[in-house]
Amino acid sequence: RRQESLAPWVSALRARVAASPEFKALSTQLFAEVRSGMRSVGGGEGDVPPLAELTAEEQTARVREARDGLLQTEVYGRCKEAAWRAVDAALDAESEEVLLKAPRPLGKVETAIDIAGHGASQLLSRWPLHTELRWEHAALAWLVNAHLPPSLRRALWRVKLRAPAARTRFEAKAAESPLALISPRDAVILRQCQAALQQGDPKLLSSLPRMRACASYRDSLDSIGRSLEERAEEEEERLMAAALAPDAAGAPSTPPPPRAVFWLLPLLRVFGEEADPGELVERYHALISALEQMPAQPSSTASGGGGAAAMDLLKGQDAKLAAHLEAVMGGAAKSALLLKAPCARLGVGLLSPDATLFVWDLCLIAGWTQVGAAIASALLLLRDGLLACTAPAHLADYFLLHTRQLTVEQLRAALERHFMPELRARLGVPAPEDVLPLEPSDVVS
C-alpha cells in the first residue's frame, strides 16, 4: 500500500508518547490481558501459542478483545491524558515554528488546526486494512464530532473508499490500450457528465475530462446493467414530474443524468487535480460497491435511504410539517417521490457543494442512511417557508432552491438538534462536551 511519510513533528510525537511511562504501563497491561484471554480460550498456559505465531487477523481479534476491556481502566485514562498533553505541546511548538519561518494569514489557532489535519491524515494513511474489517473502522467513529479540514477529509475518504483490486485492473487495462478504458456509450456519458456538472457544481467544469474518463471506464465494465438502471431512473423522474405538475404532458425532453454520475462530483472536489486517474477510479468503484452492498429496505433505495425513509425521519421530528407536505403533494407516496432523487444522488445537486462534503463525511463514518437524516434536517430548517406553500410545483421549487442555500453550520446545527444524539448512542461516541479537550496552554494566546 501507498503510505504517506510522516512529518518530523509527528514522528517525534509518536516516539515521545511511546517512551512515556503511561504508554509503557498501558502496553504492559494490554499484553497481560491478551495472554489472559488466550489462556481462557486455550484452557491453560501450556496451550497458549506465542502471539507472533497467530495470523494478523487472529492477533487483531485478540488485541481488540483486550483493548475493549481496558478502555474504562485507570491505566488507559492516564495514558490518554498523557497523550493529549503531548499532542498539545507538539502542536504548540510546531505552530510557533511555522509562523516564525513564514508568517501566514491564518492565526495561531487556525495554523494549529491545519497542522493537526495534515498530521492526522498522514497517520490515517497507515490505517491497517484487513479484508474482514474493511468497512468497519469503528475506531474512527469519534470523527462525527470533528470538523474535518481538507487534508484530513481526504485521508478519511481514502481509508473508507478502498478498492485496490479495481485500481490494479484499471492500470493494467490502461497499459494495454487507452481504447480499453472507453465505453461504447462514451458520447452519451459525456453529455451526462456535462449536465451533472452544470446542475451540481459548475465550478468543476474544468474537471470534465477526468470525470468523463472515470464514468466511461466504469460504464465499460457493466454498460448493460447501467443502461437498465438509467431507464428505471428516467421513469422515476417522469413520475416525479407528473406529481409536481399534473397537467404537464409526459417527462422532461432531456432525461436527467444517472445518479451514479452525480456521485463523481464530491470525489472530484476532494481529490482534485492531484489525484491520478487510478485513484479516482478506485474511490468511485469503492463507493458504488459499498452502496450496492447496503441491505435493501422496503421503503428505501439502496443508495442513500430513499424519500420514504427521509419522510419517516421527518415525521418523527415534526409531524405537522410532514402532514403538510403530504397534503400539498397529494399523499405520502408523492411527497416521498419529491425526495427520492435527492436521496438517490446522496444529496449532490440538492445541497451546496460544501454541505454535500459535510454530509458525505458523516455518511462515510456512520453509514449512507445519514443522507435521509440530512435531507430531513434541511426540511426542518425550511419549515416556515414550506408551510406557506400550497401547490406541489411551488413547494418543490421552494425546497430545491432554498436547500442549496443552507450553510454547513445550519445543517450541522439541525442534525445536532434532531438526530446526532441518537446516532452517537448507536456508535458509542460521546457528545463533544464529554470529550477530553486539548489543554489551551499557549495555542490560543
Side-chain angles (χ1 to χ4, degrees), residues 328-405:
V328 172
M329 297 302 299
K334 288 186 177 180
S335 62
L337 197 59
L338 170 67
L339 307 180
K340 187 169 186 178
C343 284
R345 294 172 183 171
L346 309 180
V348 182
L350 175 71
L351 302 167
S352 71
D354 287 341
T356 300
L357 296 187
F358 162 69
V359 171
W360 278 40
D361 290 341
L362 180 62
C363 290
L364 285 168
I365 296 166
W368 289 101
T369 54
Q370 299 308 312
V371 171
I375 291 179
S377 297
L379 291 168
L380 290 164
L381 288 167
L382 302 176
R383 184 180 194 275
D384 292 343
L386 292 171
L387 289 174
C389 297
T390 57
H394 182 202
L395 188 148
D397 288 344
Y398 183 89
F399 171 64
L400 296 174
L401 173 63
H402 290 275
T403 302
R404 194 167 179 84
Q405 298 174 1

Side-chain angles (χ1 to χ4, degrees), residues 88 92 96 108-109 439-445:
D88 177 33
D92 185 29
E96 289 280 6
K108 188 171 181 180
V109 172
E439 294 295 331
S441 70
D442 292 331
V443 172
V444 295
S445 62

Side-chain angles (χ1 to χ4, degrees), residues 91-92 95-96 99 104-117 149 438 440-445:
L91 280 174
D92 185 29
S95 300
E96 289 280 6
L99 290 171
R104 311 170 74 189
L106 300 176
K108 188 171 181 180
V109 172
E110 291 79 7
T111 298
I113 292 173
D114 184 54
I115 291 171
L438 283 175
S441 70
D442 292 331
V443 172
V444 295
S445 62

Side-chain angles (χ1 to χ4, degrees), residues 189-201:
I189 291 168
L190 173 60
R191 292 194 294 270
Q192 292 172 346
C193 291
Q194 289 171 328
L197 284 166
Q198 289 288 358
Q199 181 177 339
D201 196 347

Side-chain angles (χ1 to χ4, degrees), residues 5-14 16 94 122:
S5 60
L6 298 180
W9 76 272
V10 178
S11 296
L13 172 61
R14 293 180 73 211
R16 189 177 306 119
E94 184 67 12
Q122 293 168 356

Side-chain angles (χ1 to χ4, degrees), residues 35-373:
R35 297 295 297 177
S36 176
M38 294 173 67
R39 280 195 299 272
S40 65
V41 172
E45 184 67 48
D47 298 320
V48 180
L51 188 63
E53 292 183 4
L54 301 180
T55 65
E57 292 80 5
E58 290 171 335
Q59 290 179 12
T60 299
R62 299 286 82 78
V63 171
R64 176 168 295 187
E65 291 171 2
R67 180 204 65 187
D68 292 344
L70 287 174
L71 292 180
Q72 305 303 321
T73 63
E74 287 187 12
V75 66
Y76 173 78
R78 288 193 293 270
C79 182
K80 182 172 68 173
E81 291 177 9
W84 275 114
R85 289 193 297 270
V87 170
D88 177 33
L91 280 174
D92 185 29
E94 184 67 12
S95 300
E96 289 280 6
E97 184 175 349
V98 168
L99 290 171
L100 284 174
K101 288 181 178 178
R104 311 170 74 189
L106 300 176
K108 188 171 181 180
V109 172
E110 291 79 7
T111 298
I113 292 173
D114 184 54
I115 291 171
H118 282 285
S121 71
Q122 293 168 356
L123 293 173
L124 276 181
S125 72
R126 298 171 173 232
W127 194 267
L129 175 61
H130 300 299
T131 302
E132 76 284 4
L133 304 175
R134 182 177 176 184
W135 302 112
E136 183 178 345
H137 298 298
L140 296 178
W142 62 273
L143 286 173
V144 298
N145 291 331
H147 167 72
L148 303 185
S151 57
L152 183 52
R153 168 177 288 137
R154 193 177 304 114
L156 172 69
W157 288 31
R158 281 175 174 151
V159 167
K160 291 292 187 174
L161 298 175
R162 282 174 168 165
R167 183 172 187 160
T168 300
R169 181 181 180 185
F170 168 81
E171 291 171 347
K173 282 196 169 189
E176 173 189 325
S177 169
L179 294 178
L181 309 176
I182 301 175
S183 167
R185 304 185 320 122
D186 187 66
V188 174
I189 291 168
L190 173 60
R191 292 194 294 270
Q192 292 172 346
C193 291
Q194 289 171 328
L197 284 166
Q198 289 288 358
Q199 181 177 339
D201 196 347
K203 292 182 178 179
L204 287 175
L205 280 172
S206 63
S207 298
L208 176 60
R210 299 172 67 242
M211 181 181 184
R212 172 195 185 178
C214 184
S216 185
Y217 170 71
R218 173 69 194 191
D219 189 82
S220 72
L221 302 178
D222 54 359
S223 57
I224 295 178
R226 194 67 55 197
S227 298
L228 293 174
E229 179 186 345
E230 288 174 25
R231 285 199 287 273
E233 289 183 42
E234 289 173 16
E235 178 63 13
E236 292 176 7
E237 293 285 348
R238 188 191 67 77
L239 291 173
M240 186 173 75
L244 300 182
D247 297 329
S253 57
T254 303
R259 65 194 68 174
V261 174
F262 282 92
W263 299 342
L264 272 166
L265 301 185
L267 298 177
L268 288 167
R269 288 198 81 216
V270 167
F271 296 106
E273 297 296 335
E274 72 174 44
D276 60 68
E279 171 156 39
L280 191 60
V281 165
E282 177 181 356
R283 310 307 166 197
Y284 190 45
H285 182 94
L287 173 65
I288 292 174
S289 298
L291 294 169
E292 289 175 344
Q293 292 169 17
M294 286 178 61
Q297 299 295 329
S299 62
S300 70
T301 66
S303 56
M311 282 299 298
D312 288 343
L313 290 171
L314 179 65
K315 289 175 183 177
Q317 299 295 322
D318 193 330
K320 179 181 177 180
L321 176 58
H324 175 75
L325 294 182
E326 291 181 356
V328 172
M329 297 302 299
K334 288 186 177 180
S335 62
L337 197 59
L338 170 67
L339 307 180
K340 187 169 186 178
C343 284
R345 294 172 183 171
L346 309 180
V348 182
L350 175 71
L351 302 167
S352 71
D354 287 341
T356 300
L357 296 187
F358 162 69
V359 171
W360 278 40
D361 290 341
L362 180 62
C363 290
L364 285 168
I365 296 166
W368 289 101
T369 54
Q370 299 308 312
V371 171

